[in-house]
Amino acid sequence: MASVSGSVRLQRCIVSPAGRHSASLIFLHGSGDSGQRLRKWIQQVLNQELTFQHIKIIYPTAPPRPYTPMKGGISNVWFDRFKISNDCPEHLESINVMCQVLTDLIDDEVKSGIKKSRILVGGFSMGGCMAMHLAYRNHQDVAGVFALSSFLNKTSAVYQALRDSDGVPPELFQCHGAADELVLHSWGEETNSMLRSLGVNAKFHSFPGVYHELSRAELEKLKSWILTKLPGEVERQ
């Protein structure tokens, strides 16, 4: 895969705001998924489209690449992993390439007149991990980060970036199903406490009986948090 920024233009599924566009939300799917399918999944869970008066939602799709946990099979993944575990090294080369590609997405919003302090990044599973790398290593001036059913490896480059940084990192909203058997709840908790120890205002919400999936209660909570981080024009005045 090309390693220069701008060589990959991501497919994106966009939900326009109902009113005047004054903020943007970048929502990253999990491994093997697509932006279009994530949008539909959220719609099914909520029984309606996730939509806002003033916030544009961008659901990009990861480009296809060989994925080691699938024995090198091609999949729409944000980066490669040596294995799905929190105690192995990160595949930093592929993560760094995608940070560049996703930076183009943020830059597009800024060029269209949206301040970075009015942009949220987040995602489900691998998408949440990617969002943490993107924000905490490259864009600490975004409005906030959310990670649903996600984790960082024990020796993550995110932790090093926060140790080296003297600014105030963006707030993290994290949710995790207590019954998740793919990404263990304890991995999510450990990520959260590590980030808190490095100065991140990190919230952690557990959902009993929820597996590696999106739940309605979690999405409703996320929606409320989004509106506290990106209030509409009236609330801001």
Side-chain angles (χ1 to χ4, degrees):
M1 182 173 161
S3 61
V4 288
S5 174
S7 60
V8 178
R9 183 162 167 84
L10 297 174
Q11 283 189 317
R12 47 193 96 172
C13 170
I14 289 171
V15 178
S16 298
R20 196 177 84 78
H21 175 207
S22 70
S24 297
L25 170 73
I26 297 170
F27 205 140
L28 306 178
H29 62 75
S31 59
D33 207 357
S34 72
Q36 187 74 40
R37 285 200 298 264
L38 175 61
R39 175 189 176 176
K40 282 199 180 123
W41 187 18
I42 291 170
Q43 208 170 354
Q44 284 164 352
V45 173
L46 286 174
N47 285 325
Q48 59 179 358
E49 181 90 80
L50 177 64
T51 177
F52 298 92
Q53 190 64 28
H54 59 290
I55 305 169
K56 168 183 171 182
I57 308 177
I58 304 160
Y59 297 102
T61 295
R65 61 158 300 130
Y67 188 46
T68 301
M70 283 173 51
K71 299 185 168 56
I74 302 295
S75 187
N76 291 88
V77 288
W78 297 110
F79 51 87
D80 198 8
R81 279 189 168 130
F82 297 107
K83 55 181 177 170
I84 300 171
S85 162
N86 72 342
D87 62 357
C88 67
E90 290 176 316
H91 196 289
L92 263 186
E93 186 194 352
S94 59
I95 292 173
N96 293 346
V97 168
M98 197 45 63
C99 280
Q100 285 187 294
V101 172
L102 288 166
T103 290
D104 291 347
L105 205 56
I106 292 174
D107 290 346
D108 284 350
E109 292 310 292
V110 172
K111 282 176 199 148
S112 77
I114 303 300
K115 292 191 185 80
K116 260 170 88 175
S117 60
R118 297 279 292 161
I119 297 174
L120 279 177
V121 297
F124 173 75
S125 193
M126 176 185 263
C129 175
M130 188 70 236
M132 289 187 276
H133 275 273
L134 183 65
Y136 294 121
R137 293 178 57 213
N138 300 275
H139 300 282
Q140 288 201 12
D141 46 354
V142 293
V145 188
F146 62 93
L148 314 176
S149 311
S150 306
F151 72 100
L152 291 170
N153 296 36
K154 287 178 191 287
T155 57
S156 178
V158 171
Y159 301 145
Q160 196 51 55
L162 287 165
R163 284 186 196 102
D164 295 343
S165 148
D166 50 9
V168 176
E171 185 180 309
L172 174 68
F173 175 91
Q174 212 179 335
C175 294
H176 217 109
D180 194 334
E181 291 160 336
L182 181 67
V183 174
L184 301 186
H185 184 268
S186 60
W187 298 355
E189 278 185 309
E190 197 176 294
T191 298
N192 192 275
S193 61
M194 190 67 189
L195 289 169
R196 278 206 314 270
S197 76
L198 294 167
V200 177
N201 176 7
K203 311 273 193 297
F204 189 84
H205 304 280
S206 293
F207 293 84
V210 172
Y211 294 91
H212 194 66
E213 60 190 336
L214 291 171
S215 75
R216 185 169 183 147
E218 160 189 61
L219 288 175
E220 296 287 5
K221 213 179 248 300
L222 173 63
K223 197 170 178 177
S224 304
W225 178 79
I226 289 166
L227 288 168
T228 64
K229 300 311 292 177
L230 301 175
E233 298 297 325
V234 181
E235 297 108 292
R236 285 201 298 156
Q237 284 163 7

